[in-house]
Amino acid sequence: MITFDGVTKRYPDGNVAVDHLDLEIPAGQTTVLVGPSGCGKTTSLRMINRMVEPSTGRIRVDGRDVRDQDPAELRRSIGYVIQQAGLFPHRTVADNIATVPYLLGWDRRRARTRAHELMELVGLDADLARRYPHQLSGGQQQRVGVARALAADPPVLLMDEPFSAVDPVVRTSLQDELLRLQQELHKTIVFVTHDIDEAVRLGDTIAVFRPGGRLAQAAAPERLLAEPADDFVEGFIGYDRGVRRLSFFPARELRLRGDAVLAADTPVATARAVAAGGGEPWLLVVDDARRPRGWVSADLLTTADAQTPLGDLPLVGFGHVFTVEDDSLRAALDAAVLSPAGRAVGVTQDGTVVGVVAQSELGEAIWSVGNDDARDAEPVGQDG
Amino acid sequence: MGDQPLVRWDWIASHLVDPIGTRLLEHLQLSITPILLGLLLALPLGVACVRWRALYPPVFTTVNILYAIPSIALFFLLLPYTSFSAWTAIIPLTVYTLAVLVPNVVDGLNQVPDHVRQAAEAMGFGPLRRLVQVELPVALPVVIAGLRVAAVATISMVSVASLVGLGGLGQLILTEGFRRQFPTPIVVGIVLSVALAFLVDGLLVLLQRWWTPWTPRPARAGGRNRRSAAASTAAASSAADRPAAPEGRRRRA
């Protein structure tokens, strides 16, 4: 656990970067410090490994005041990932990763072996070990940066806007990778970003800083989206926090309708009866393996020949689907909004149809999430 | 020089070892020593100028003023103290190399990207270790670029020392050639001096390839996967590929 006790950083010119910060960063979790530029988030991060010294207050890592330790030794026990990776251009990928082991005096072979283990862990091809940083893509460089920070297996990992210099697609894959790594490693991660979406994706706790170096709110992301402490936090989170919050609720609790799903060889006459019986304007047609083929509208059924199998009718594309087991309510809502039939198709992980859900039914589920709020429900999972 | 042929091969053949060989070796010694001494002085000076920024303007002005003093004047100024020893040539030439080498060491160190410096600090490098293991190696291409300019300039300048009785190939040109109105040694002196400059420059290029295999080669420029790498190493590579001393290639005679 990392504890900030009344920490202030005031520069000689009178500028206050961090103002009376009290914050507990739980061990084994990811805490994201987020805020606009100049809010003191990076300064706070750098005070943990003494790259910046606080003017007043105390920072402890696992109960030990950081000022009781030699800065260089303290830093070797804390992983650090910097923006733009900060790789040493004159060292190969393997030697970059082995930086801290070398500083700790490991013998060469052990450090190299460790470097290769880490390359595998962060998803880097072993062939890259002898390359130099300039021969890597931005994403690969950032992976090397993460591997280097993890080399001596430090319990604490500081990450200073590590993914801000890569394009959005690469950024998303790096974020996924970090989530996967963290599930495996359970490090105490302190992550600085100015991107609230990144914070919501990665953080177990989010600490929002306001300009002037004051902590505005620290909470779990789902809480932060539900109850921003004040106008500043609400404004910083952005206007669609209600929709974004749906990411924290699983789609598996939706009630999917299986009766509106028909096989391709079903004759129109049968389908007509189903549509009339359930008052369904749209039916989903599936193939023999129960994979979606497309929508057929009740209107089309009334005019089509009664004996024609549904598969021979002109079907409307089924659009996006969501995976019932893994996806969130947000993904389900997205699928429904994008669907030409106004209905989302829920599938299993191998792509067979579980059932469909209409926008109106989703609305009920979302409304019940809002209701749960009032009863202070615990958030569940965070994907999507 | 009358109707003599420009080059008398028989003279060259009979004087190959002495004076041609001896003068060449002397020239080499008189130029390599100041280059190495200059580097030895420029490294701590440059490091100090980066560490204490306020030091750089006065140091920069001083090395430039020293560079502006005509070499012949410096040679004669030193004569009473060093008489006809090699130091009479070595000391002024060393001082001249500083005008190129100090700014290059400073620029090289300043070009170490900030994120690299910070990463080194955050990994737990102490200040000295960071300098030796990260900053100086990353500055190396720019330092070598300066070394190339200094080496070529010094090799050409050594000849002037012949006016005070030193000067390797300059002696060949002045004593054997000019004073005796005999063109062959002049041609030999010029050709060897230029060849020596080319050779040393070439060796430095090879040395740089060998020492800094990590600098991007121009042939690979513009390839994919260089987005952020390009930004951080572009400065180093442009400096590495051609000698770009901040003061340009000033010729001295």
Side-chain angles (χ1 to χ4, degrees):
Chain A
M1 179 153 81
I2 302 169
T3 323
F4 285 79
D5 265 336
V7 172
T8 294
K9 177 63 189 178
R10 186 179 294 105
Y11 284 101
D13 63 5
N15 184 30
V16 176
V18 177
D19 195 3
H20 284 95
L21 176 64
D22 294 307
L23 182 65
E24 282 196 353
I25 293 171
Q29 294 192 9
T30 305
T31 300
V32 181
L33 314 184
V34 67
S37 51
C39 69
K41 54 192 193 295
T42 296
T43 310
S44 301
L45 182 85
R46 290 181 177 193
M47 287 194 283
I48 298 173
N49 71 351
R50 297 192 62 186
M51 287 175 74
V52 174
E53 299 283 4
S55 314
T56 56
R58 195 154 66 132
I59 297 163
R60 284 170 297 168
V61 177
D62 289 330
R64 238 181 121 189
D65 193 325
V66 293
R67 273 176 298 186
D68 293 344
Q69 297 167 67
D70 172 71
E73 273 171 38
L74 173 75
R75 288 170 196 155
R76 286 171 207 169
S77 70
I78 296 178
Y80 195 94
V81 186
I82 197 171
Q83 199 178 353
Q84 296 174 286
L87 301 182
F88 303 135
H90 63 300
R91 291 191 174 177
T92 59
V93 166
D95 283 342
N96 259 290
I97 296 173
T99 299
V100 178
Y102 286 150
L103 286 172
L104 291 171
W106 293 20
D107 69 66
R108 234 179 155 68
R109 179 182 288 178
R110 186 173 161 222
R112 287 273 168 87
T113 312
R114 178 70 181 146
H116 281 93
E117 280 170 26
L118 281 158
M119 288 184 68
E120 204 183 314
L121 183 72
V122 301
L124 283 168
D125 205 27
D127 296 347
L128 298 175
R130 296 171 66 102
R131 298 265 184 96
Y132 288 100
H134 79 91
Q135 296 168 310
L136 306 182
S137 68
Q140 288 170 329
Q141 290 188 23
Q142 229 21 282
R143 282 169 199 264
V144 176
V146 173
R148 181 174 65 174
L150 290 170
D153 204 20
V156 176
L157 198 59
L158 308 180
M159 306 183 83
D160 184 7
E161 304 208 21
F163 306 147
S164 62
V166 292
D167 66 60
V169 176
V170 175
R171 189 181 311 145
T172 307
S173 82
L174 288 170
Q175 288 167 349
D176 287 340
E177 199 79 3
L178 183 66
L179 286 169
R180 182 186 66 76
L181 276 176
Q182 175 65 343
Q183 270 189 349
E184 211 172 301
L185 302 173
H186 301 290
K187 299 285 180 192
T188 306
I189 298 180
V190 188
F191 190 107
V192 163
T193 180
H194 56 259
D195 177 357
I196 184 71
D197 288 318
E198 186 168 66
V200 168
R201 269 199 82 174
L202 299 178
D204 297 311
T205 307
I206 297 178
V208 184
F209 284 66
R210 69 169 86 243
R214 298 200 78 122
L215 181 65
Q217 185 174 8
E222 182 274 327
R223 290 282 93 199
L224 192 78
L225 291 170
E227 292 164 12
D230 55 25
D231 289 349
F232 170 77
V233 177
E234 181 160 20
F236 189 75
I237 293 169
Y239 63 93
D240 57 348
R241 64 185 171 90
V243 175
R244 294 214 309 254
R245 193 168 157 263
L246 294 177
S247 317
F248 294 95
F249 301 91
R252 62 177 167 271
E253 300 195 351
L254 284 170
R255 279 217 305 273
L256 299 183
R257 305 194 39 173
D259 55 342
V261 180
L262 294 174
D265 56 9
T266 314
V268 166
T270 317
R272 237 182 243 158
V274 170
E280 279 295 313
W282 293 90
L283 298 174
L284 184 73
V285 181
V286 295
D287 64 14
D288 295 343
R290 252 189 108 70
R291 285 175 208 286
R293 284 192 50 188
W295 295 103
V296 59
S297 70
D299 291 348
L300 180 66
L301 290 175
T302 53
T303 55
D305 171 60
Q307 296 314 308
T308 317
L310 292 178
D312 291 353
L313 296 175
L315 300 176
V316 178
F318 59 89
H320 281 282
V321 297
F322 68 94
T323 311
V324 177
E325 277 308 303
D326 306 332
D327 275 335
S328 64
L329 278 186
R330 188 179 179 178
L333 177 65
D334 191 57
V337 169
L338 289 174
S339 163
R343 279 153 172 70
V345 180
V347 297
T348 59
Q349 274 163 341
D350 46 7
T352 59
V353 172
V354 178
V356 298
V357 58
Q359 277 170 13
S360 55
E361 291 154 335
L362 266 168
E364 282 168 34
I366 290 166
W367 184 82
S368 80
V369 164
N371 253 9
D372 283 352
D373 250 14
R375 283 184 269 116
D376 231 28
E378 281 299 300
V380 271
Q382 49 158 314
D383 42 35
Chain B
M1 300 190 193
D3 46 8
Q4 297 186 56
L6 195 60
V7 176
R8 269 180 49 198
W9 295 100
D10 58 322
W11 185 88
I12 294 178
S14 59
H15 294 79
L16 208 54
V17 176
D18 188 47
I20 299 178
T22 4
R23 291 304 181 204
L24 182 65
L25 276 179
E26 199 181 18
H27 200 101
L28 197 63
Q29 184 215 336
L30 283 178
S31 44
I32 297 292
T33 316
I35 295 165
L36 292 180
L37 278 179
L39 186 64
L40 222 58
L41 287 172
L43 282 175
L45 258 177
V47 168
C49 288
V50 173
R51 174 69 185 75
W52 297 283
R53 303 253 157 208
L55 208 59
Y56 189 41
V59 168
F60 185 72
T61 311
T62 309
V63 293
N64 271 330
I65 288 175
L66 287 171
Y67 196 82
I69 302 172
S71 54
I72 189 71
L74 262 186
F75 292 142
F76 278 113
L77 272 174
L78 278 172
L79 263 184
Y81 307 98
T82 52
S83 67
F84 291 98
S85 74
W87 291 104
T88 314
I90 290 170
I91 291 171
L93 294 174
T94 303
V95 167
Y96 292 142
T97 61
L98 294 182
V100 176
L101 291 178
V102 172
N104 270 62
V105 172
V106 171
D107 287 356
L109 288 173
N110 282 338
Q111 276 172 13
V112 176
D114 214 34
H115 57 104
V116 171
R117 213 184 293 268
Q118 282 179 19
E121 192 189 348
M123 297 289 122
F125 281 86
L128 183 67
R129 214 162 174 171
R130 192 175 80 183
L131 178 72
V132 174
Q133 293 186 5
V134 178
E135 291 172 334
L136 282 176
V138 174
L140 199 59
V142 184
V143 175
I144 295 182
L147 208 56
R148 289 175 62 190
V149 178
V152 171
T154 307
I155 289 169
S156 91
M157 250 189 288
V158 167
S159 304
V160 184
S162 60
L163 290 173
V164 292
L166 295 159
L169 293 167
Q171 284 292 335
L172 212 58
I173 297 168
L174 191 75
T175 325
E176 307 280 339
F178 199 68
R179 299 223 170 108
R180 288 166 54 197
Q181 298 278 302
F182 177 36
T184 305
I186 299 179
V187 174
V188 171
I190 292 171
V191 167
L192 285 181
S193 179
V194 170
L196 194 62
F198 263 103
L199 185 76
V200 170
D201 192 50
L203 281 176
L204 283 171
V205 171
L206 286 180
L207 202 66
Q208 194 214 319
R209 294 247 165 103
W210 181 58
W211 269 353
T212 62
W214 49 272
T215 49
R217 296 263 173 274
R220 252 181 265 159
R224 52 200 182 93
N225 297 350
R226 301 187 78 244
R227 223 168 308 132
S228 60
S232 61
T233 43
S237 82
S238 67
D241 297 334
R242 68 198 122 83
E247 291 307 289
R249 283 169 177 275
R250 287 188 297 189
R251 275 201 99 69
R252 301 190 62 98

